Every structure is written in C-alpha cells, then in structure tokens.
Amino acid sequence: MTEPDPNPDRDGLEPGPNSGSESDRDEGVSTLAKQGSITFVGNVMKGAFGFAIVMLMTRYVSPSVYGLFVLATSVILFMQVFANLGLPLAIDYFVPQYLADGERGKAKGVIVQVTATVLVTSSLVAGALALSAGYIGDLFQEPAMRIALLFLSVTIPMLAVYNVLLTSYYSIKKLQYRVIMRDLVRPTVRFAVTAGLLLVGYGLLGLIVGYVVGLFVAITIGAAVFVYKAWDLLTAEIELVAPAPLVKYSVPLAMTSVVFVLMGHVDYFVLGFFLNSDDIGIYRVGYMLGSGLMIIFNSLSPVFKPLIAETRDDIDLVEQRFRIMARWIAGITLPIAIFLSLGSSSYLAVLYTPQYAEANLVVVLLAGAFLFNVTFGGPDGSLLQGLGYSRIVFANTLVLFGVNLVVSFVLVPIVGIEGAAIGSATALFLVGGLTLVEIYHFDGIHPFTRDFAKIVGAGVPAIVAGLPVVYVLESDALTAAVLPIVVVGTYTFTLIATNAFTDEDAQMAAEFSPTLRKWLPIN
C-alpha cells in the first residue's frame, strides 16, 4: 500500500479519470448539480432556522443582550480553532485513502486518534477560557460576559466532537446525514429550547441554554447515525497510525482556519472594543442578512473544489467548469442582492423589528461585496484550492483578515457600525479581485464571456423596475412582499429576452428538476 501523503504543502489532488479528453457532455456539470442540490437543501433549512432563531431573539431580548451573546459565541468559535488543532480536517483527507486501499483498521485508527486528541486539547482550552472569563469581560467592558463565557466554555469540547463527526461523514461520502445533524436536528432543537426559555423570561440564559442543548442533541443523534452507517468500519480491528503525518497535515490548515475565523468575527471584536453591545447586536443582524447571499456558493463549493482538482491538468475543462459555476452563482445571487439592497430597511424592520433598520447600509455594502466575491471563487478560495494553490489561498486569507481589521479599526470610531461593514466589504472586493488576477496569471483562466455579460446585464432592468416599488409603497411589509416579485420577474424576463440560457444551463436544470429543464428556453 502507498501511504497517504502527509505533506501539508502538497498542491491539490492527483489528476482523476476525467482529465484529458471529455465528451461534449461534461458529467462534472451533472455531479455539481446533483451533489449541490443536496447541500443546497441543507443550507436552506439551516438558513431558515438561523433567520427564525435570530428573529426570535431580537423580539424577546434587547439589542444589548443579543449583542453580548454574539460577542461571547464569537470568542468561543475563535478559541475552538486552537482547541482542535485542525485535526478533524485530517479525517476526510486520510480516511478515504485508507478505505480505498482496503485498510479499514488504519481508517478507524485515524478517527479514534483524532477524537481522543481533540477531547484532551479542547478540554484544556475550555478550562483556560473559564479561568480567564473575567479578564475577557473586562477587556470588552461587559461584566455579564464572564457568566456567558463560563456557561459556553463547555461547548468547546462539544464543538470539537461535532467537527469530528462532520468530517467523518465527508470521509465516507454520506453528506445527507451531515445535513440531518447540522442543518435539521441542531437548529430545530436550538429553536425549540430557546423559544421556550425566552417565553418564560430567561433572557441571556435562555439563549445560552438553547445553544448548548441544540449542540448536545445534534452530537448525540449524529454519533448514533454514524455508528449505524459506519458499523463495518467501527468494528474493524483498530490499527493506530503514526501521529506525525496527521499533525503535519492539520496544523498548517488550523493556522489558516484561525485567520479565517478571525476574519469572520473581527468585526464583532472591533465593535465590542470601541462601541457597546447594542451596536454589535444591530450589526450582527445586518451582517446576517447581507451574508445570506452565500447560500448558493456554499451549496456548490463543496462539489466544485474536487471537480476542479480532478481535472486541474485540463485547463480548458477547468475554465469551462469555472465559467458555468460563476454564471450560476451570479445568476441566482444577483437578483437576491438587488432586492435585499433596495429594500434593506423594510426587510430589517419586518424580520427583526424597526430598531434594527439602522443596519440598512450594512446590508447594502455586504450584499454587493459578497455577490462579487462568491462569483469569483468565494472567501475561502475554493477555485484556487482546487487548482492546487494552497499557499496563495493562505496569503489571500491573510490579506482578507488584515484589510478588514485595519479598515474597521480606523473607521468604526468615526462612522460606527458602517465602518465595520466598509472594512468587510473592502476586504471581500480586494480578495475577489486578487483571485481573478491570480488565476489569469497562472493559468490564463477567466469567467468573462458574452453569456456571463448577459447574466450581469439583466440586473440593470431589475434595479430600474425595483426602485419605484421602494419609493411608492409606504408599508414595509408590502414593500418586502412585492419587491422580490418585481425584481426576480424583471430579471427572468430579461434573461429570456436576451436568449441568455445555454446548453450547460439545461444540463444543470435537468438535474435539479426535469420540469425546470422543460420550461427553460434554450437557443
């Protein structure tokens, strides 16, 4: 047997069977649609529950309490990256290779060793956090944060096990069970428990208990399902593997994760340092609404990366797949970005109560930035990862974090929460532009075609049609209901009028729905 490559600097994957010659019909497009649809359903459920939970919170607790909870969970999510040392990421790298070579004992050994290690390291980090909770509360000038961190510190080892389960599902290619655990069970239980406790007046404690119980139940059910579905693997005679390759592979990725998690939460840390918890709560709601545009990218990205990696030596095919990906992401995300931006005040008022309409500019800035960034590879650089440019991805992540931190730190004291939004938007635009330049420099790839221009150009009539709705209708609820119909309807009509649909679109549509394919106008 050939041992799995432990080199963390290894660029990409070996070319797969799809390299080289391809038939006119690219089966990768079908794979992208099939697997993307599974993750899309999960992301929709998770997103719906996420919005519902935040809507619940913003109605039963004040912005200051909600902001305090956001700040505390940001600290937890940051610390848990150090707690697991990136080791769960080794599972879906080494286990598939051992299984492919028939060495089930070693595959089991990887899972057992990683689980045991992260339980120890995460418990130590949780203890350290509990002891330093008071100092962290003083740093952010939030005394109540000490209590929140004491209760939430127990979730650090829980999150470590949770991540082990997720990557274990990836390793045995059972994404549907990940959807059950992550996107259905956890948010459902969290919503039910949080709602019950808020209704009886538990406030911050209700938010914390709902978070903890939801995670605990998800882990319990996820572990039971994994044991059932991977029984043959788990009953194999264990064969321990050398720990050095696991650590050598995982630790560099953990450092990348630290930067990436910091990037995702730096806004809250800067706001917490300069402003108060009310501002954090209001900004969080605006950020959540603007970043909702990630749902399409997050659904296709897990499939897109391996599709690029397996054909990375066939640059023409890579470019073809990239262009299809960019068109679909832009085509679905653009109309959503338009009506969210035009009606940002109305959506914030209707979904979260009028006091959160203060975050309307935050939504506009982030919607535009996320639209640009996800169209050209996403904040995690999935296209560059698939092409094997791991060092460039790390460098881009550092740029993303650094620009966000510096711009936010300068502007938040001057303009408030909009300063944090400008910092995030600037970083997202910059890294999206860098990705375009890098892939063109190294491989001569770009997404700009006449078909792509039609997708983007269709947004202009949609904006023109949507503006009167915002200025004529006085009711926020009516604006929120009518605006998507007008914008999406105009956008779709423009695509049809400009003959924007291609054969690849028909192939993708057929995988999602034969009926959709039937009604899709193709040249």
Side-chain angles (χ1 to χ4, degrees):
M1 172 203 169
T2 301
E3 287 287 314
D5 183 2
N7 185 1
D9 294 324
R10 179 187 179 199
D11 287 338
L13 303 174
E14 295 302 319
N18 292 330
S19 309
S21 63
E22 283 277 323
S23 61
D24 292 336
R25 175 183 170 89
D26 178 13
E27 292 302 324
V29 175
S30 297
T31 301
L32 184 64
K34 288 178 181 177
Q35 297 301 316
S37 62
I38 293 175
T39 53
F40 175 73
V41 170
N43 286 330
V44 167
M45 291 190 298
K46 180 184 178 184
F49 275 111
F51 275 106
I53 290 170
V54 174
M55 289 169 63
L56 179 74
M57 292 176 179
T58 54
R59 279 165 170 76
Y60 285 93
V61 299
S62 66
S64 61
V65 172
Y66 176 59
L68 179 62
F69 176 73
V70 170
L71 189 58
T73 52
S74 294
V75 173
I76 294 297
L77 293 174
F78 174 62
M79 295 301 295
Q80 67 94 20
V81 177
F82 293 99
N84 61 38
L85 301 176
L87 284 171
L89 297 172
I91 292 177
D92 63 350
Y93 180 76
F94 288 101
V95 169
Q97 297 180 59
Y98 284 127
L99 291 177
D101 290 325
E103 299 207 90
R104 308 176 74 82
K106 288 187 175 181
K108 177 181 177 181
V110 171
I111 296 174
V112 171
Q113 287 172 257
V114 168
T115 304
T117 303
V118 299
L119 278 174
V120 173
T121 56
S122 61
S123 297
L124 293 174
V125 171
L129 178 63
L131 292 174
S132 59
Y135 298 104
I136 297 174
D138 292 339
L139 175 65
F140 291 105
Q141 300 178 11
E142 294 285 356
M145 194 172 176
R146 176 180 182 180
I147 303 301
L149 289 177
L150 282 174
F151 281 108
L152 288 171
S153 62
V154 301
T155 63
I156 291 181
M158 294 170 67
L159 284 167
V161 175
Y162 181 77
N163 288 325
V164 165
L165 283 169
L166 286 179
T167 52
S168 296
Y169 280 127
Y170 299 156
S171 69
I172 61 173
K173 300 180 179 63
K174 299 293 185 182
L175 296 184
Q176 62 269 40
Y177 303 113
R178 181 206 70 165
V179 169
I180 292 173
M181 180 181 75
R182 189 195 71 169
D183 304 327
L184 183 59
V185 173
R186 184 182 178 187
T188 302
V189 174
R190 182 185 175 190
F191 180 85
V193 174
T194 302
L197 292 174
L198 289 180
L199 286 173
V200 296
Y202 272 91
L204 179 61
L205 185 60
L207 304 185
I208 294 172
V209 173
Y211 186 89
V212 175
V213 173
L215 183 59
F216 176 77
V217 174
I219 292 171
T220 302
I221 294 179
V225 172
F226 182 73
V227 169
Y228 176 72
K229 290 297 178 181
W231 183 251
D232 290 342
L233 170 61
L234 297 178
T235 53
E237 185 176 352
I238 189 170
E239 186 176 350
L240 300 180
V241 301
L246 301 181
V247 175
K248 189 177 180 181
Y249 173 79
S250 302
V251 170
L253 294 179
M255 295 303 99
T256 302
S257 298
V258 167
V259 178
F260 198 72
V261 170
L262 266 177
M263 184 276 300
H265 296 276
V266 66
D267 296 354
Y268 309 130
F269 295 146
V270 174
L271 288 171
F273 186 77
F274 285 110
L275 305 178
N276 54 48
S277 54
D278 296 64
D279 298 299
I280 299 173
I282 292 171
Y283 178 82
R284 168 58 181 163
V285 165
Y287 189 96
M288 182 178 181
L289 194 59
S291 63
L293 296 175
M294 289 281 290
I295 186 170
I296 303 300
F297 172 80
N298 288 338
S299 300
L300 296 178
S301 178
V303 192
F304 178 62
K305 176 184 171 182
L307 284 178
I308 293 298
E310 71 183 13
T311 59
R312 65 192 179 101
D313 287 345
D314 188 342
I315 296 301
D316 290 337
L317 184 56
V318 168
E319 184 173 54
Q320 176 185 335
R321 291 179 173 179
F322 174 43
R323 288 176 172 177
I324 293 171
M325 174 85 165
R327 289 182 69 255
W328 271 74
I329 289 177
I332 299 176
T333 307
L334 178 56
I336 302 175
I338 291 172
F339 69 71
L340 278 183
S341 298
L342 292 178
S344 56
S345 295
S346 297
Y347 286 110
L348 289 167
V350 171
L351 293 174
Y352 304 109
T353 70
Q355 60 187 328
Y356 289 93
E358 183 182 338
N360 64 320
L361 187 56
V362 172
V363 176
V364 174
L365 289 168
L366 292 175
F370 275 112
L371 170 64
F372 181 83
N373 188 274
V374 299
T375 300
F376 304 125
D380 65 344
S382 60
L383 174 64
L384 289 168
Q385 288 187 47
L387 287 169
Y389 301 124
S390 56
R391 296 178 183 87
I392 294 175
V393 173
F394 179 66
N396 286 353
T397 305
L398 288 176
V399 171
L400 191 67
F401 169 66
V403 171
N404 192 357
L405 176 63
V406 172
V407 176
S408 297
F409 207 85
V410 170
L411 293 183
V412 165
I414 301 173
V415 296
I417 62 174
E418 286 79 10
I422 294 171
S424 291
T426 302
L428 289 167
F429 274 116
L430 179 59
V431 170
L434 279 175
T435 300
L436 285 173
V437 171
E438 289 158 355
I439 60 173
Y440 186 76
H441 172 73
F442 288 112
D443 296 299
I445 294 173
H446 68 84
F448 303 114
T449 63
R450 181 179 299 178
D451 291 328
F452 183 79
K454 291 179 180 179
I455 294 292
V456 176
V460 176
I463 294 173
V464 173
L467 281 171
V469 176
V470 177
Y471 288 105
V472 171
L473 298 180
E474 297 183 358
S475 167
D476 285 328
L478 191 58
T479 300
V482 172
L483 194 56
I485 298 173
V486 173
V487 170
V488 175
T490 304
Y491 185 80
T492 304
F493 176 79
T494 305
L495 291 180
I496 296 172
T498 57
N499 210 11
F501 298 102
T502 67
D503 290 336
E504 288 82 7
D505 296 333
Q507 186 179 346
M508 287 276 284
E511 299 298 341
F512 284 113
S513 168
T515 303
L516 178 61
R517 166 63 185 92
K518 179 181 178 181
W519 291 101
L520 197 66
I522 306 296
N523 291 344

